Amino acid sequence: MILRFLNEELLNVQKPARYIGGEFNQVRKDVENKFRIALAFPDVYEVGMSHYGLELLYHYINSFEEFYAERVFLPWVDMIELMEKKDIPLFTLETKTPVFNMNVLGISIEYELSYTNVLKLLELSKINVESEKRKDGDPIVIAGGPVVFNIEPIAGVFDIVYIGDGEKNLRQLLDLLCETKGARRLDRLKEAAKIPGIYIPQFYRQRGKKVVPIKDVPKKIKKNAIGDLDECFVPIRQIIPNVQSIHDRGVIEISRGCTRGCRFCHAGYVYRPVRERSKKNVVENAKKILKETGYEEISLLSLSAMDHTTLNEIVDGLLPYIKEKKISMSIPSTRVDAFNIELLSKIASVRKRGITLAPEAGSQTMRNKINKNIDFNEIYNSALEAKKAGWNKIKLYFMVGFPDETEGDIKEIGELLREIKRMKFKLVTASVNLLVPKPHTAFQFVKIREPEYMEYVYSILKNYKRYAKIDVNDGKKSFVEGILSRGDRHLFRVIMKKYKMSYYDEWTEFFNFDEWIESFKDIDLDKYKGPYSLKDDFPWDHIDSGVTKYFHWKEYERFFKGESTKDCRNVCSYCGVCQILNVENNLKI
């Protein structure tokens, strides 16, 4: 049925190659006697195929003979309309198997605005969106990714939530589900709850804002954290997409975690501690990836790649190979204070593209408060050296909406852009976004700004548009994301209502702020805006990232005092993660 549908209808949709599979390096297995896992990314093919985590899990799971992992993406709206018209269920790319016939459906959630996509994906799969209503033979639906550190707004969807690094206990979880195949669903979930880092939402209830167990399960679920990245699986034969993906290049993860302690950064806290991959491991595997894929670019992936202890040696180790093969190298995350023009000039010796810097705040006062720990001279000199080295395009990222922010703080963004423009860059662009206060950060306590605040920001920065192309976000997406990110189980009915109106909320052409406001009428929205205190219960208090709530509160207090917290590579900040999770920074010196 599915193959016939594809044969007859594919030419009636945009980019039909999204739905055919068969890509170079796709894994092919005999499905006989295999425990089958559908790995889903709730967005369009090009976005999902750019996600390193999905690529990693796909090849990691398929490295075990008894498992077969296949990929699933949310079809584009034209394909969805056609599938619904023809009553075609969502299917896997590899074997065109209906998702409802798989043993497990794993969904990676990277951003809160994909919640409506998750519900649409389940609806298309013909799987009940509420976990407690599923039958014993239905696929076990698992959530993973950074958003699961507060999954509560959509917790009712998932049978299992996997917290933390997949390489730690995912094999154990899949072994259990394979061994118990055919048993009662509830019994399987009870056994899964015994595995570290596994959260079973239906075994907990919300009381007030606190989530508490109603069965014999842990009160707090500690995240899974690996100790040594060198011992972890590396996806070598990375899939070459049929349609050009957002990040169309080979990827090697050079480190995981960050120690800088920027007070707004969710990833910086939940992925602690930092674990580096050694120079030898990176260089050898990067060459293998390039050989097995034919990519003309390799990306060194990390939250703060310039902080890697042996980055210079890694670059020097790869340079002869990439010069010979005329391959480019990129570093997607560049901190201003770690900016090394000589190093980046080496990296760009094959192809030179634009430079991206993230000062985050315009004024020195605000940079100190958010613990960015860089000064004007470092930003200025980094840009100046980049210009001297031959870069003609520069992009800068800023955030606004911090507590106690003044007009002067915002004006300093424009003044910084004016100084950079004087260096005679051909193009200076700036992106200005509203702060999204995230759980498990120092800003989980703050009051979120209304979108109208961005009109005020624009009124200040519009006078500086002669110096740069300034994109001041309207704040509407950020506001909705902020509400969802600190939400609780009462928001599930909001998300259910909204997805029936529309989905693909991360896409500007489909995001509808008025529909979200209409959906929010079912709750007291003011309760989700903040501010909060240390004594307030949070819906995510039962998820243990390793960093204590008290530490976040002290960081929040330091924000108002303008006090910095040192990089914990050098001085322990006593955040709790190493002691609670029995891990530590693993630097390859």
Side-chain angles (χ1 to χ4, degrees), residues 399-461:
M399 265 188 285
V400 293
F402 298 109
D404 291 351
E405 189 171 70
T406 67
E407 180 180 345
D409 292 323
I410 298 168
K411 277 185 176 178
E412 287 294 327
I413 294 174
E415 294 298 325
L416 177 57
L417 294 174
R418 173 158 49 188
E419 292 300 317
I420 289 175
K421 182 61 176 177
R422 285 175 176 167
M423 300 174 193
K424 302 196 182 302
F425 278 95
K426 184 182 294 184
L427 179 63
V428 180
T429 59
S431 178
V432 184
N433 295 287
L434 182 64
L435 169 71
V436 179
K438 292 283 190 175
H440 300 280
T441 73
F443 288 136
Q444 64 186 354
F445 304 100
V446 308
K447 182 174 183 178
I448 189 171
R449 302 270 191 175
E450 303 284 345
E452 290 76 18
Y453 183 75
M454 298 307 284
E455 296 175 12
Y456 165 68
V457 171
Y458 179 78
S459 71
I460 297 169
L461 292 180

Side-chain angles (χ1 to χ4, degrees), residues 84-100:
E84 290 178 333
K85 181 180 177 181
K86 301 288 185 178
D87 195 29
I88 299 297
L90 190 59
F91 51 87
T92 64
L93 282 185
E94 277 71 10
T95 62
K96 310 301 181 291
T97 301
V99 173
F100 63 71

Side-chain angles (χ1 to χ4, degrees), residues 119-167:
L119 298 184
K120 191 63 185 178
L121 188 146
L122 286 164
E123 179 192 297
L124 279 174
S125 301
K126 302 187 183 300
I127 297 172
N128 200 305
V129 297
E130 296 183 65
S131 63
E132 294 187 15
K133 294 181 179 179
R134 292 183 194 129
K135 299 176 181 177
D136 287 343
D138 290 337
I140 298 290
V141 182
I142 304 175
V147 169
V148 302
F149 285 88
N150 180 27
I151 196 68
E152 295 314 309
I154 199 169
V157 166
F158 295 104
D159 302 304
I160 295 172
V161 178
Y162 186 98
I163 313 290
D165 295 331
E167 302 96 332

Side-chain angles (χ1 to χ4, degrees), residues 196-401:
I198 299 300
Y199 170 41
I200 312 294
Q202 62 181 279
F203 292 168
Y204 296 74
R205 290 290 179 266
Q206 183 173 321
R207 292 178 184 158
K209 274 213 163 185
K210 197 174 183 67
V211 175
V212 297
I214 56 172
K215 292 186 179 289
D216 185 20
V217 289
K219 289 182 178 179
K220 295 195 80 167
I221 301 95
K222 293 182 182 179
K223 77 172 183 184
N224 289 299
I226 58 166
D228 190 343
L229 205 56
D230 272 351
E231 296 177 359
C232 291
F233 181 87
V234 178
I236 300 298
R237 303 188 76 241
Q238 297 175 12
I239 298 172
I240 310 302
N242 286 330
V243 177
Q244 185 173 13
S245 60
I246 305 300
H247 303 299
D248 195 20
R249 58 201 177 205
V251 178
I252 176 75
E253 185 184 23
I254 65 170
S255 67
R256 191 175 300 178
C258 181
T259 56
R260 292 285 183 165
C262 298
R263 290 175 176 138
F264 56 82
C265 185
H266 180 259
Y269 285 118
V270 301
Y271 288 127
R272 286 189 177 199
V274 68
R275 289 139 295 166
E276 295 180 344
R277 186 164 264 134
S278 67
K279 171 203 164 182
K280 180 181 178 183
N281 189 301
V282 171
V283 172
E284 288 180 355
N285 282 308
K287 290 178 181 178
K288 290 177 184 176
I289 291 167
L290 292 168
K291 182 179 178 181
E292 294 289 342
T293 61
Y295 272 122
E296 295 179 345
E297 181 178 351
I298 186 75
S299 178
L300 308 182
L301 181 64
S302 170
L303 285 175
S304 187
M306 285 298 214
D307 286 337
H308 193 290
T309 310
T310 62
L311 183 61
N312 274 285
E313 290 89 339
I314 288 171
V315 171
D316 287 341
L318 283 172
L319 269 177
Y321 183 84
I322 67 171
K323 282 185 175 180
E324 177 191 349
K325 305 291 184 182
K326 292 184 169 51
I327 292 165
S328 62
M329 191 189 312
S330 64
I331 295 182
S333 51
T334 304
R335 284 186 56 92
V336 175
D337 57 329
F339 195 82
N340 184 319
I341 295 299
E342 182 182 351
L343 178 62
L344 286 186
S345 293
K346 288 181 186 178
I347 291 172
S349 59
V350 180
R351 286 181 213 161
K352 206 163 244 162
R353 297 181 178 178
I355 284 286
T356 302
L357 303 178
E360 308 295 0
S363 73
Q364 191 59 51
T365 298
M366 193 55 69
R367 284 194 294 273
N368 291 343
K369 292 177 109 175
I370 65 176
N371 208 46
K372 193 65 183 176
N373 293 333
I374 51 174
D375 61 34
F376 172 82
N377 287 334
E378 287 175 304
I379 301 168
Y380 182 88
N381 290 333
S382 295
L384 183 61
E385 290 302 315
K387 184 67 179 69
K388 289 178 181 177
W391 274 275
N392 286 309
K393 296 179 182 179
I394 186 167
K395 184 170 186 177
L396 300 101
Y397 284 101
F398 298 95
M399 265 188 285
V400 293

